[in-house]
Amino acid sequence: MSIPFIDLKGQYLALKPSIDARIQRVLDHGQYIMGPEVRELEERLETYTGARYCITVSSGTEALLIALMALGVKAGDEVITTPFTFVATAEVIVLLGAKPVFVDVEPDTCNIDVSLLEAAITPKTKAIMPVSLYGQPVDMDEINAIANRHGNIPVIEDAAQSFGAEYKGRKSCNLSTIGCTSFFPSKPLGCYGDGGAVFTSDEDLAKAMREIRVHGQERRYVHTRVGVGGRMDTLQCAVVLAKLERFDWEVEQRINVGNRYNQRFDAFGVRRVVQRQDRTSVFAQYTIFTEDRDALQERLSGHGVPTAVHYPVPLNEQPAYKHLCCPDCTPEASRVAKLVMSLPMGPGLGDEELSAVVRHVAGLRNSMSPRIS
Ligand SMILES: Cc1ncc(COP(=O)(O)O)c(C=O)c1O
């Protein structure tokens, strides 16, 4: 049996009539940039998340950049974040001349360790940017409370992996000053290219981000601030609109698959990323911890089980970033980076496939023991 890591083709086939019709409509009206689907999608996402404003943008990376620009982050500022994330999170901070201040992660969720956050705040802290990793929201009430105690520092949720997840009954992307998500094809809500969105309930920030998205333009050819070329294509908005038709069902399925994996792996004593009681992960990735990862990945591949590592090297150890901080100042991030391994995940992952993945992981671990734990 060969199991896809993510079954995008199966998802397309299930939604083919709606996706095709939506794309055809764009081809018919021809408004490829800022066509009616752009605002339609933003309205749908405002309703979905509960945020007052949604602004679609050209990628998750651009969403983070635009959010930081709207907050006025500039050279000499500091932005607190996690080193255990995709590089875009820190990249946008450095692009603006600011410094990423890395705070270590929790060993069980791999999300930023909120108990270490306060000690990292300085007079230069301009924003706090936690990541809701693997689709599980961070402890946002606690982060917001710390930010408020220190003079209302703005909090940006990097929700690139967590669109559709919930924290204490509230939707990810609507948990802090600004939420940023990605519609990269493999994300829980993905388009067929690059795409993303920023969310806020602050009117001034929404205006700033809407203008920054289009070269800082307040009205045609009047550029009141420096911006970027950051629009999301109408065609990509059309794809996401079609995918929203069964997104609730897909989120439910992802949670079912995640919970079934949890039960099965717990029974086999396989360590996995832990989900906290007060939040619902959307399982952008299903991730376990294992030693001898390379050997296990190779053997799983031989059994038709694809795997991936998110992420093998924390950002404070990356060549382009390590001069910005001490390479060993976030020991948990360095430790989990050597252990994490993601398994096939998606709303269409059937019982038979899931059982095969669990059987192979547990069986191979036993045959390779005692080095695997
Ligand atoms: C945590 C995180 N932040 C930012 C991004 C960037 O999103 P995009 O690829 O849409 O630019 C990603 C994408 O993988 C991500 O996982």
Side-chain angles (χ1 to χ4, degrees):
M1 180 190 289
S2 176
I3 302 166
F5 189 69
I6 298 171
D7 186 11
L8 289 181
K9 187 154 184 219
Q11 187 199 39
Y12 169 61
L13 292 176
L15 286 164
K16 189 175 181 331
S18 312
I19 292 175
D20 289 359
R22 279 277 186 182
I23 288 175
Q24 190 58 52
R25 212 174 302 159
V26 177
L27 297 175
D28 288 342
H29 68 56
Q31 294 179 60
Y32 304 123
I33 301 293
M34 298 306 280
E37 284 78 5
V38 176
R39 190 61 206 134
E40 185 184 347
L41 176 60
E42 291 172 349
E43 281 173 4
R44 292 282 301 279
L45 298 181
E46 284 160 3
T47 306
Y48 183 85
T49 59
R52 276 178 70 195
Y53 306 101
C54 167
I55 297 133
T56 54
V57 296
S58 53
S59 70
T61 307
E62 216 63 14
L64 296 170
L65 181 67
I66 290 170
L68 290 172
M69 288 173 77
L71 292 171
V73 171
K74 56 181 185 328
D77 291 337
E78 293 178 355
V79 178
I80 296 175
T81 191
T82 163
F84 195 56
T85 176
F86 181 61
V87 67
T89 315
E91 183 178 57
V92 291
I93 300 169
V94 176
L95 275 174
L96 292 174
K99 182 184 167 197
V101 174
F102 294 119
V103 166
D104 210 356
V105 296
E106 299 174 327
D108 57 350
T109 66
C110 299
N111 270 334
I112 197 165
D113 186 339
V114 179
S115 71
L116 304 174
L117 194 61
E118 205 147 15
I121 295 175
T122 75
K124 292 182 180 171
T125 306
K126 199 65 188 260
I128 301 172
M129 194 152 77
V131 177
S132 295
L133 197 74
Y134 303 142
Q136 175 170 217
V138 283
D139 190 358
M140 198 55 98
D141 278 358
E142 195 52 35
I143 296 175
N144 287 334
I146 293 169
N148 290 343
R149 277 205 298 278
H150 289 266
N152 290 322
I153 300 169
V155 179
I156 301 171
E157 180 193 14
D158 181 343
Q161 302 180 9
S162 60
F163 191 84
E166 287 189 9
Y167 170 83
K168 299 184 181 174
R170 283 141 49 209
K171 291 273 194 247
S172 178
C173 290
N174 185 29
L175 302 175
S176 62
T177 320
I178 299 175
C180 298
T181 200
S182 163
F183 302 127
F184 187 82
S186 59
K187 298 293 190 228
L189 182 62
C191 58
Y192 288 165
D194 278 309
V198 292
F199 297 82
T200 188
S201 291
D202 181 305
E203 196 178 342
D204 294 338
L205 282 175
K207 180 174 185 294
M209 293 193 287
R210 203 171 286 118
E211 290 174 7
I212 292 167
R213 168 179 69 175
V214 194
H215 305 288
Q217 180 172 274
E218 194 179 27
R219 45 185 205 282
R220 201 160 167 75
Y221 299 133
V222 178
H223 304 275
T224 49
R225 56 179 104 228
V226 174
V228 296
R231 293 166 301 220
M232 183 164 163
D233 295 344
T234 312
L235 275 169
Q236 298 303 344
C237 291
V239 171
V240 177
L241 278 165
K243 287 209 183 176
L244 274 175
E245 275 177 24
R246 67 164 208 174
F247 185 60
D248 283 341
W249 176 84
E250 287 191 0
V251 169
E252 226 171 88
Q253 292 309 303
R254 296 186 87 93
I255 293 167
N256 283 342
V257 171
N259 289 340
R260 264 184 290 144
Y261 262 143
N262 284 349
Q263 280 164 12
R264 305 288 302 278
F265 281 129
D266 288 351
F268 280 112
V270 175
R271 279 196 60 226
R272 57 167 172 92
V273 167
V274 165
Q275 282 81 45
R276 297 267 187 261
Q277 289 289 332
D278 57 0
R279 42 211 106 150
T280 311
S281 176
V282 75
F283 292 101
Q285 311 295 344
Y286 188 87
T287 305
I288 63 168
F289 300 105
T290 183
E291 282 162 19
D292 265 357
R293 182 175 60 199
D294 290 353
L296 184 57
Q297 280 192 286
E298 203 181 308
R299 292 202 192 180
L300 284 169
S301 169
H303 287 277
V305 178
T307 56
V309 176
H310 307 95
Y311 298 91
V313 181
L315 299 185
N316 56 313
E317 293 178 27
Q318 289 285 359
Y321 295 88
K322 63 182 177 197
H323 65 286
L324 296 166
C325 53
C326 56
D328 51 1
C329 57
T330 53
E332 277 308 328
S334 302
R335 204 180 61 81
V336 294
K338 294 188 179 73
L339 302 177
V340 289
M341 186 178 79
S342 302
L343 298 170
M345 180 69 206
L349 193 77
D351 248 336
E352 213 183 314
E353 292 167 310
L354 186 142
S355 297
V357 173
V358 175
R359 214 174 40 245
H360 286 308
V361 170
L364 288 169
R365 273 175 83 257
N366 279 344
S367 71
M368 291 165 76
S369 68
R371 291 194 62 207
I372 301 237
S373 64

